[in-house]
Amino acid sequence: MLRYVTTNPGKVREAEQYLADGSVEQLDFDYTEIQSPELGPIAARGAREAYREAGGPVLVDDAGLFIEGLDGFPGPYSSYVQETLGIERVRELARPLENARAAFRCTLAYCDGEGFAASPDPVDRADRGTAAAAGPDDSASDAGRTGTNADGTNADAAGTEPAGETDPLPVKLFEGYVPGRIVDRRGSGGFGYDPIFEHAGETFAEMDTERKNAVSHRGRALAKFAEWYAER
Ligand code: IMP
């Protein structure tokens, strides 16, 4: 049984649309979120911690909104910024920007205690379990090695398996990305930044769940993961 590590049951329902019936269940576990400018190391660290807690296969997801003209802000800090500034003030920060291009990104991190055969999706091999005492260090992260564009997308998403570091708990990463722009609030559906994020002429808050899932960062990452997981 795969455990989707989240406090949000809605994410599990979304994952169920991509995975075989009864193959995934929620693990309501609050893992430690390290600070990093990228989602990969945060999700990977969470997946190791959750695997040690669950003792079986786990999937952690970390997501955020990356505004190109603000150097990717709020990025991995999206949750904190939403709670402190709120989405209206994020919209105001983006107002002077021409086009206000942005992207939602989601990284899924899978850990089952085993290694992985090579595939285009990167593997995080940093041993933060032991590094945690000394503070986070992402220098050995495959995800950390791929460059990040201003909108938060990976400049080198085709990372193949790196030789080098050995870690008892490698973590496989799957990334999903959806481009859009920041606009004045529209729509009443969705959650988080959905009302100010426009994709293909509609805000995410104007789309119903099915339409949003079909294009969303999380849906795209889940589709990649599900295809790979079916082979595993
Ligand atoms: P989390 O990693 O899924 O908890 O997401 C971090 C933050 O990013 C959330 O608190 C939301 O503010 C934002 N976020 C992530 N995904 C979405 C989305 O699909 N729509 C709107 N906001 C999102």
Side-chain angles (χ1 to χ4, degrees):
M1 173 68 78
L2 173 65
R3 280 143 175 149
Y4 201 112
V5 185
T6 178
T7 53
N8 179 352
K11 286 188 184 176
V12 185
R13 281 196 294 277
E14 196 172 329
E16 281 167 347
Q17 294 181 357
Y18 293 87
L19 298 164
D21 278 354
S23 64
V24 61
E25 69 178 23
Q26 181 176 0
L27 176 61
D28 193 343
F29 174 64
D30 214 2
Y31 59 87
T32 313
E33 285 207 17
I34 60 165
Q35 289 199 349
S36 167
E38 294 181 53
L39 300 176
I42 302 171
R45 171 68 177 73
R48 286 190 186 91
E49 193 179 323
Y51 171 76
R52 291 187 176 107
E53 169 78 12
V58 293
L59 192 62
V60 161
D61 96 41
D62 199 32
L65 175 69
F66 294 74
I67 300 174
E68 196 175 304
L70 299 178
D71 292 337
F73 178 86
Y77 309 106
S78 295
S79 190
Y80 175 74
V81 168
Q82 188 190 325
E83 281 164 26
T84 51
L85 291 184
I87 69 168
E88 297 293 350
R89 288 178 69 191
V90 172
R91 197 285 169 266
E92 290 312 317
L93 285 172
R95 192 176 293 284
L97 305 173
E98 204 180 333
N99 291 323
R101 277 200 297 270
F104 270 124
R105 293 182 63 213
C106 173
T107 295
L108 294 175
Y110 174 82
C111 182
D112 62 10
E114 306 289 332
F116 304 107
S119 84
D121 301 295
V123 174
D124 185 299
R125 297 175 191 280
D127 187 359
R128 295 183 192 83
T130 49
D137 172 9
D138 301 325
S139 59
S141 160
D142 191 25
R145 266 191 221 111
T146 58
T148 304
N149 298 324
D151 67 354
T153 58
N154 268 350
D156 172 19
T160 47
E161 313 297 293
E165 303 86 8
T166 51
D167 185 324
L169 287 179
V171 174
K172 190 84 171 163
L173 302 176
F174 300 86
E175 297 174 349
Y177 159 86
V178 57
R181 63 190 190 105
I182 304 301
V183 296
D184 285 335
R185 170 188 279 273
R186 295 196 324 260
S188 55
F191 67 96
Y193 295 91
D194 281 347
I196 61 165
F197 183 81
E198 185 188 77
H199 172 78
E202 278 182 302
T203 68
F204 269 6
E206 292 175 311
M207 299 181 185
D208 61 29
T209 309
E210 205 173 316
R211 289 214 336 281
K212 178 186 163 187
N213 289 352
V215 295
S216 83
H217 47 312
R218 188 166 296 104
R220 287 173 177 175
L222 277 167
K224 278 198 219 174
F225 169 74
E227 190 181 347
W228 174 86
Y229 190 61
E231 296 291 317
R232 190 158 176 86

